């Protein structure tokens, strides 16, 4: 990790908008291609070199530490020299990136630097200019609209008191000083708790000679620091000789030479943030080697129990979620120390750290084992806390607060099991903040967390892929017309929706065959479902099945109606085309397997049609044994598996793991559909899983009871599906293929997430967002 001065690499504010009239070929000319490559190279370098802004505030406190051999000399004179060399023209020290909401931060940093110079009797002119800045900007110290450093009321008042001890006259009115001390006293008199104790230890420099230093030492870490905070550690060492504190600060200066950040070590979290950023913006495919390196290093740190992970909630939760989603074996017990009662007795809990709670909430949704009640409890209290904070927060005009609350809202509104990649990418691009300034006791920023290169690359990639999607959709529209599917009056026309579900999940340009196969079979399953439901007679249904069974027939003779001819011709052509296309991917023709998949579906639909005609009432078990197939995911998912990369042998396709993945996702889909269609199908005299549970249950069984039972079953199957997808050991189905089952599960959960389903208006907006509306970003 290295330090940087933010003014040398400043990120101007970027506003993001969408415009359906934008140029869809953005990124295709040579200039944009070069810019694309340059951005990629800079990001690759960032993975290996974490840069964090220097903290003049923390550097000042380190500069105040006296030498252990002579209290008349500074222990770290290089820091003192840095202060003399880095005062800003306006007399201040602090954030090098001017920001109207960081005046409190600048006041705190400037006063700390003035105190350090006064402590050692140097820089008279620097002090004069610094005091002049404080005098002219002091009104901001009481401005509630300012971004406030942690502990500002205590620390700034403590520094004013320390100035008195140094006989430094501050250009402040006594009434203003009294107000400061009153605010400090109110904070110091708050009700005692362990969280408050940790907070008071963290802001030790503001309490100074009044501090209980033995209490503070309870929070010393293995690296010798207090909370990984150079300022708190320096203040402790100034009052209480301690070899651990001295070692930490000495090592810090050995690494950074003459200035320090506000937080150290800070290595695991920013690298995980980079990984999270490139994945969440849809550009992870450009950095696979770097991502693997971060994952492996993080897992090594996890296994070694490093404090940087396990003593910091955001880092631990983020590491747990990212490692688990990438198939690493991590136990949820690592999050046991962040139970509700423990959290609110910690520094983060006392400060109501929303970022930390959001990370824990998201991590806790990664339940894949039936015995992870700990994560269930975390979901309960974190969701309640976040909803409460969201409802208590009025609309704020300040971007910093808006970004945090947007993050909270997204976490609550878009569960990971119902989030489609392409919609997630777009939302994250639109909300991405390249000017991401974070606040502890002083502000800090990192190129690894907020950076224009991430946004530039993401926008170019999104728009380039979108142009591909539009061409593929045009190709599919021609296919529908050529196959005369638009002539079938009984059939719903759902091409855009079928292709949307493919493009929103199978995003990479090279997956064109998979997307087209997925979409074509999605259209055909809709047509066939409507044919079996309302469009065809029993003779026509049987005729269609016989045609698919025999194949290689003369459709003009063997088809009993025009509708059967249209459907069979489209089916036969698509099955043959899929089989031949697979040769390039699999080295063999898969036509026989695709035919079997379609026959399984047609026979299951015929069974339902016969039950309906005969007014038969199957058992729940009989219905589900047939119903998970008749839900019609087989022709959509299973042929597409052959076009995502890995070769699938006959042994894999016939394995229990393969069958179980399909059964779980199809069962989820069948039950989700039946819950949402129960009232409509009941009025039409049709049976489904809900009505059958009521029929075969006791008299006390109600629709609500059954719905709750089925929702619990859906949750169990979804988690088991996710476990199988993430499982590495004893798995023969390639991860890329298993991902398709999970992607389809997410499509289903999104469509059925609301009680009234995914409305046509919402669907139209989603289709436009993924396929038709490019993203425009100003000031790139």
């Amino acid at each position: 990790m290295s330090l940087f001065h933010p003014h040398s690499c400043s990120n101007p504010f970027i506003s993001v908008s969408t415009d359906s009239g934008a140029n869809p070929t953005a990124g295709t000319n040579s200039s944009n291609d070069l810019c694309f490559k340059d951005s990629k190279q800079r990001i690759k370098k960032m993975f290996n070199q974490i840069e964090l802004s220097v903290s003049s505030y923390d550097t000042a406190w380190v500069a105040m530490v006296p030498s252990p051999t002579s209290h008349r000399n500074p222990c770290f004179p290089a820091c003192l020299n840095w202060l003399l060399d880095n005062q800003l023209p306006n007399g201040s020290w602090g954030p090098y990136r001017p920001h109207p909401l960081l005046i409190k931060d600048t006041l705190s940093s400037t006063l700390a630097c003035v105190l350090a110079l006064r402590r050692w009797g140097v820089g008279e002119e620097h002090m004069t200019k610094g005091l002049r800045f404080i005098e002219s900007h002091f009104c901001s110290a009481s401005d509630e609209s300012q971004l406030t450093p942690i502990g500002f009321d205590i620390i700034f008042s403590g520094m004013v008191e320390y100035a008195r001890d140094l006989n430094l006259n501050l250009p402040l009115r006594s009434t203003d000083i009294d107000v400061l001390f009153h605010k400090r006293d109110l904070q110091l008199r708050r009700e005692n708790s362990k969280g408050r104790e940790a907070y008071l230890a963290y802001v030790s420099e503001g309490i100074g000679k009044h501090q209980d230093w033995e209490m503070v030492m309870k929070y010393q870490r293995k690296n010798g620091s207090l909370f990984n905070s150079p300022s708190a550690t320096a203040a402790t060492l100034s009052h209480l000789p301690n070899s651990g504190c001295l070692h930490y600060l000495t090592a810090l200066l050995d690494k950074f030479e003459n200035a320090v950040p506000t937080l150290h070590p800070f290595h695991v979290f920013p690298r995980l943030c980079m990984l999270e950023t490139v994945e969440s913006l849809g550009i992870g495919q450009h950095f696979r080697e770097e991502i693997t390196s971060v994952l492996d290093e993080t897992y090594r740190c996890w296994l070694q129990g490093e404090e940087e992970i396990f003593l910091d909630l955001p880092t631990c939760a983020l590491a747990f979620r990212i490692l688990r989603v990438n198939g690493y074996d991590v136990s949820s017990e690592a999050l046991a120390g962040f139970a509700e009662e423990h959290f609110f007795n910690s520094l983060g809990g006392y400060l109501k750290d929303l970022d930390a709670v959001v990370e824990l909430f998201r991590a806790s949704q990664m339940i894949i084992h039936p015995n992870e009640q700990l994560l269930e409890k975390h979901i309960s209290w974190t969701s309640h806390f976040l909803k409460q904070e969201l409802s208590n927060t009025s609309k704020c005009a300040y971007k910093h607060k808006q970004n945090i609350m947007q993050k909270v809202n997204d976490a609550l509104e878009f569960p990971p099991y119902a989030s489609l990649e392409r919609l997630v990418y777009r939302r994250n691009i639109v909300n991405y903040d390249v000017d991401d300034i974070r606040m502890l006791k002083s502000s800090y920023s990192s190129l690894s967390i907020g950076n224009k290169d991430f946004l530039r690359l993401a926008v170019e990639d999104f728009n380039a892929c979108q142009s591909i999607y539009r061409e593929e959709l045009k190709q599919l529209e021609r296919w529908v017309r050529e196959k005369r599917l638009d002539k079938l009056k009984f059939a719903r026309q759902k091409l855009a929706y079928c292709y949307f579900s493919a493009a929103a999940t199978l995003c990479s340009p090279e997956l064109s065959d998979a997307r087209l196969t997925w979409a074509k079979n999605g259209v055909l399953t809709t047509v066939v479902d409507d044919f079996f439901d309302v469009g065809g007679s029993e003779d026509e249904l049987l005729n269609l099945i016989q045609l698919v069974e025999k194949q290689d027939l003369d459709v003009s003779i063997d088809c009993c109606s025009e509708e059967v001819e249209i459907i069979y011709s489209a089916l036969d052509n698509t099955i043959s085309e899929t089989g031949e296309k697979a040769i390039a991917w699999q080295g063999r023709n898969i036509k026989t397997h695709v035919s079997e998949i379609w026959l399984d579906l047609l026979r299951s639909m015929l069974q339902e049609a016969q039950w309906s005609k005969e007014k038969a009432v199957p058992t729940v078990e009989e219905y589900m044994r047939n119903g998970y197939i008749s839900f019609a995911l087989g022709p959509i998912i299973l042929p597409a598996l052959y076009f995502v990369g890995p070769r699938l042998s006959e042994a894999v396709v016939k394995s229990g793991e393969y069958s179980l993945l399909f059964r779980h996702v199809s069962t989820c889909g069948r039950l989700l559909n039946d819950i949402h269609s129960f009232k409509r199908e009941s009025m039409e005299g049709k049976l489904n899983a809900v009505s059958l549970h009521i029929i075969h249950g006791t008299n006390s069984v109600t629709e609500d009871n059954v719905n709750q039972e089925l929702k619990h079953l859906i949750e169990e199957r979804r988690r088991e599906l996710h476990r199988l997808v993430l499982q590495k050991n004893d798995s023969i189905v390639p991860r890329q293929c298993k991902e398709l089952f999970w992607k389809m599960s997410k499509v289903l959960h999104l469509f059925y997430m609301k009680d009234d389903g995914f409305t046509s208006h919402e669907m139209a907006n989603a289709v436009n967002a993924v396929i038709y509306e490019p993203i425009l970003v100003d000031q790139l």
Side-chain angles (χ1 to χ4, degrees):
M1 189 176 84
S2 63
L3 296 182
F4 73 94
H5 300 305
H7 72 288
S8 65
C9 47
S10 59
N11 296 320
F13 174 77
I14 291 181
S15 61
V16 184
S17 64
T18 60
D19 185 350
S20 58
N23 175 15
T25 60
T28 58
N29 60 53
S30 58
S31 175
N32 282 337
D33 286 345
L34 181 61
C35 187
F36 192 89
K37 292 177 182 177
D38 288 345
S39 292
K40 280 177 62 175
Q41 288 306 312
R42 284 192 292 270
I43 293 172
K44 284 177 179 286
K45 290 179 181 177
M46 281 184 237
F47 272 102
N48 297 318
Q49 182 65 52
I50 302 300
E51 292 188 329
L52 183 63
S53 57
V54 68
S55 169
S56 54
Y57 171 81
D58 287 84
T59 301
W61 281 103
V62 175
M64 283 187 252
V65 176
S67 169
T69 58
S70 173
H71 277 217
R72 293 185 177 183
N73 297 312
C75 187
F76 305 104
C79 290
L80 195 61
N81 291 331
W82 186 91
L83 298 181
L84 292 170
D85 293 339
N86 285 274
Q87 187 176 32
L88 294 175
N90 65 0
S92 72
W93 287 267
Y96 283 77
R97 191 183 311 173
H99 197 296
L101 295 180
L102 293 177
I103 306 301
K104 277 188 179 180
D105 182 27
T106 307
L107 284 171
S108 184
S109 296
T110 301
L111 183 51
C113 292
V114 169
L115 291 177
L117 299 179
R118 180 69 174 184
R119 171 73 176 83
W120 304 114
V122 297
E124 193 69 33
E125 184 179 345
H126 293 75
M127 284 190 284
T128 300
K129 290 172 65 178
L131 292 173
R132 194 177 299 132
F133 176 87
I134 292 171
E135 180 181 21
S136 61
H137 292 81
F138 183 72
C139 59
S140 294
S142 57
D143 185 352
E144 295 300 324
S145 67
Q146 283 282 313
L147 295 178
T148 303
I150 293 174
F152 178 82
D153 289 336
I154 291 177
I155 292 173
F156 198 84
S157 301
M159 289 194 292
V160 169
E161 188 173 33
Y162 188 36
R164 288 178 176 176
D165 294 342
L166 294 174
N167 296 317
L168 175 64
N169 291 321
L170 298 178
L172 304 177
R173 294 179 301 180
S174 60
T175 52
D176 291 334
I177 293 175
D178 289 341
V179 170
L180 285 175
F181 287 164
H182 177 67
K183 285 186 175 181
R184 179 186 68 173
D185 292 342
L186 286 176
Q187 284 212 24
L188 292 176
R189 285 201 297 266
R190 285 184 180 176
E191 183 179 350
N192 287 330
S193 68
K194 288 186 178 180
R196 178 178 175 275
E197 180 185 272
Y199 169 69
L200 294 180
Y202 180 62
V203 298
S204 286
E205 61 266 37
I207 300 174
K209 60 188 178 183
H210 307 295
Q211 180 63 285
D212 178 356
W213 296 104
E214 289 187 8
M215 177 276 290
V216 171
M217 294 309 296
K218 292 195 303 184
Y219 296 94
Q220 188 172 34
R221 300 192 174 181
K222 290 178 182 178
N223 62 14
S225 77
L226 279 305
F227 304 96
N228 289 338
S229 165
S231 55
T233 308
T236 302
L237 184 58
S238 295
H239 289 84
L240 185 71
N242 180 274
S243 59
C245 291
L246 180 60
H247 172 77
Y248 170 79
L249 293 175
T250 300
L252 204 56
L253 270 298
D254 286 344
K255 183 176 182 65
F256 299 119
E257 296 183 353
N258 57 5
V260 299
T262 196
L263 179 67
H264 184 78
F266 190 63
H267 181 69
V268 176
F269 185 76
R271 296 193 82 205
L272 286 172
C273 281
M274 284 190 68
L275 187 158
E276 171 87 341
T277 296
V278 298
E279 292 282 22
S280 67
L281 294 178
I283 52 177
Q285 69 274 15
H286 301 295
F287 307 102
R288 286 297 162 217
E289 185 177 331
E290 290 78 11
I291 287 171
T292 300
S293 175
V294 172
L295 290 170
D296 289 343
E297 182 184 351
T298 303
Y299 191 52
R300 177 186 59 78
C301 293
W302 182 280
L303 294 177
Q304 293 176 352
E306 291 197 7
E307 284 188 342
E308 188 180 352
I309 292 179
F310 293 101
L311 290 184
D312 183 66
L313 171 52
T315 305
C316 188
L318 183 59
F320 172 80
R321 175 167 59 85
I322 288 177
L323 288 174
R324 177 164 278 195
V325 83
N326 282 282
Y328 289 79
D329 183 18
V330 288
S331 170
S332 58
E333 286 302 311
L335 300 175
F338 304 114
E340 183 175 9
E341 61 276 14
H342 293 150
F343 175 73
F344 287 107
N345 280 320
S346 69
L347 175 61
Y350 184 81
L351 296 172
K352 292 190 174 182
D353 187 344
L354 282 177
D355 280 315
V357 179
V358 168
E359 287 299 347
L360 182 58
F361 174 68
R362 296 182 68 193
S364 300
Q365 292 177 300
M366 290 296 299
I367 299 174
I368 59 173
H369 300 299
N371 60 344
E372 293 188 309
Q373 290 85 5
L374 170 69
L375 298 184
E376 298 274 14
K377 291 178 180 177
H378 283 342
I379 290 175
S380 177
W381 80 259
T382 54
S383 61
H384 175 75
F385 176 82
L386 293 173
K387 289 174 184 175
Q388 199 169 42
E389 289 298 307
L390 202 59
S391 64
N392 291 341
T393 302
S394 58
K395 285 190 177 181
C396 179
Y398 302 112
K399 196 163 186 284
H400 175 80
K401 187 68 173 178
Q402 289 175 344
N403 290 342
I404 294 176
M405 300 320 295
Q406 182 67 52
K407 187 175 180 180
V408 171
N409 183 75
D410 287 351
L412 292 170
E413 188 174 349
F414 304 106
Y417 58 81
S419 296
L420 307 191
E421 282 89 335
R422 209 68 188 164
L423 292 174
V424 172
Y425 299 160
R426 186 182 189 97
R427 186 168 64 247
N428 289 335
I429 291 170
V430 170
N431 293 328
Y432 187 72
D433 183 14
V434 299
D435 198 24
D436 189 0
I437 299 174
R438 304 193 174 203
M439 186 71 77
L440 293 173
K441 287 183 286 189
S442 69
S443 62
Y444 69 99
S445 56
S446 171
L447 295 181
S448 306
I449 296 175
N451 192 290
K452 191 188 297 184
D453 283 315
F454 292 128
L455 186 59
R456 179 184 293 114
L457 190 61
V459 171
E460 295 287 348
D461 191 89
F462 188 94
N463 290 343
C465 288
Q466 203 175 53
S467 65
I468 294 172
Y469 302 157
R470 282 193 290 272
E471 289 303 315
E472 289 178 355
L473 186 53
K474 289 178 183 176
Q475 180 181 337
L476 288 167
E477 289 167 346
R478 290 194 297 271
W479 171 79
V480 167
R481 291 192 297 271
E482 289 169 2
K483 302 307 173 191
R484 297 178 292 158
L485 298 175
D486 56 334
K487 303 298 183 184
L488 299 172
K489 301 305 180 184
F490 61 83
R492 293 164 291 167
Q493 300 300 314
K494 296 291 184 180
L495 172 60
Y497 297 170
C498 292
Y499 180 71
F500 160 77
S501 67
T505 53
L506 303 169
C507 308
S508 298
E510 64 270 18
L511 295 181
S512 178
D513 285 343
R515 283 191 296 273
L516 293 173
T517 299
W518 176 298
K520 285 182 179 180
N521 284 297
V523 170
L524 289 172
T525 56
T526 303
V527 169
V528 169
D529 182 55
D530 290 342
F531 188 59
F532 274 74
D533 197 24
V534 295
S537 66
E538 184 174 7
D539 287 342
E540 287 175 314
L541 305 186
L542 291 169
N543 181 218
L544 178 61
I545 293 175
Q546 290 166 357
L547 291 168
V548 176
E549 286 174 336
K550 294 179 181 178
Q551 300 180 15
D552 301 324
L553 302 171
D554 186 342
V555 293
S556 62
I557 299 174
D558 295 306
C559 293
C560 68
S561 69
E562 183 182 9
E563 285 80 5
V564 172
E565 179 193 345
I566 292 173
I567 296 172
Y568 173 70
S569 296
L571 275 176
D572 185 57
N573 177 270
T574 303
I575 291 170
S576 298
E577 178 189 73
T578 303
E580 291 168 7
K581 268 188 180 181
I583 296 174
W585 291 81
Q586 300 293 324
R588 61 189 176 94
N589 194 311
I590 62 165
K591 180 179 178 180
T592 301
H593 183 216
V594 179
S595 296
E596 291 171 355
I597 294 168
W598 268 107
L599 280 171
D600 285 343
L601 174 61
L602 295 174
R603 289 163 182 159
S604 69
M605 287 182 168
L606 179 63
Q607 176 67 78
E608 288 186 350
Q610 290 173 340
W611 280 337
S612 179
K613 178 185 176 183
E614 298 166 4
K615 299 191 183 304
V617 181
T619 65
V620 172
E621 291 74 17
E622 288 172 333
Y623 174 81
M624 288 305 301
R625 191 161 52 245
N626 186 76
Y628 87 89
I629 298 173
S630 68
F631 188 63
L633 295 184
I636 301 173
I637 303 175
L638 302 181
L641 296 174
Y642 289 106
F643 301 103
V644 295
R647 292 205 169 191
L648 291 176
S649 66
E650 290 282 349
V652 170
V653 171
K654 293 180 179 179
S655 68
E657 180 186 6
Y658 178 97
S659 300
L660 202 53
L661 287 161
F662 176 62
R663 181 182 287 270
H664 284 328
V665 67
S666 295
T667 299
C668 286
R670 167 52 67 197
L671 295 179
L672 283 166
N673 176 81
D674 286 7
I675 289 171
H676 286 269
S677 63
F678 168 68
K679 287 183 170 59
R680 173 179 57 80
E681 292 190 328
S682 292
M683 288 189 290
E684 295 172 356
K686 297 177 182 177
L687 297 174
N688 71 16
V690 177
S691 55
L692 288 172
H693 271 81
I694 294 173
I695 290 170
H696 294 298
T698 63
N699 292 332
S700 60
V701 174
T702 66
E703 179 187 348
D704 287 342
N705 297 147
V706 172
N707 282 347
Q708 288 305 310
E709 180 183 342
L710 295 184
K711 286 177 181 178
H712 181 69
L713 179 58
I714 291 167
E715 186 176 78
E716 284 184 349
R717 293 299 177 93
R718 184 185 72 234
R719 288 175 176 175
E720 178 60 16
L721 171 66
H722 203 193
R723 186 190 68 78
L724 289 172
V725 171
L726 300 181
Q727 179 178 304
K728 285 185 176 179
N729 297 331
D730 302 321
S731 173
I732 63 172
V733 181
R735 175 67 186 263
Q736 298 99 307
C737 297
K738 292 194 290 185
E739 283 288 346
L740 257 68
F741 294 98
W742 182 241
K743 290 174 188 293
M744 176 57 85
S745 175
K746 293 200 286 187
V747 170
L748 297 170
H749 279 84
L750 175 67
F751 286 2
Y752 292 112
M753 188 163 59
K754 298 180 180 178
D755 289 338
D756 55 353
F758 210 59
T759 67
S760 58
H761 177 70
E762 289 172 317
M763 177 61 80
N765 287 342
V767 169
N768 287 335
V770 169
I771 300 172
Y772 291 113
E773 296 177 355
I775 299 176
L776 286 180
V777 178
D778 297 332
Q779 298 180 10
L780 278 177

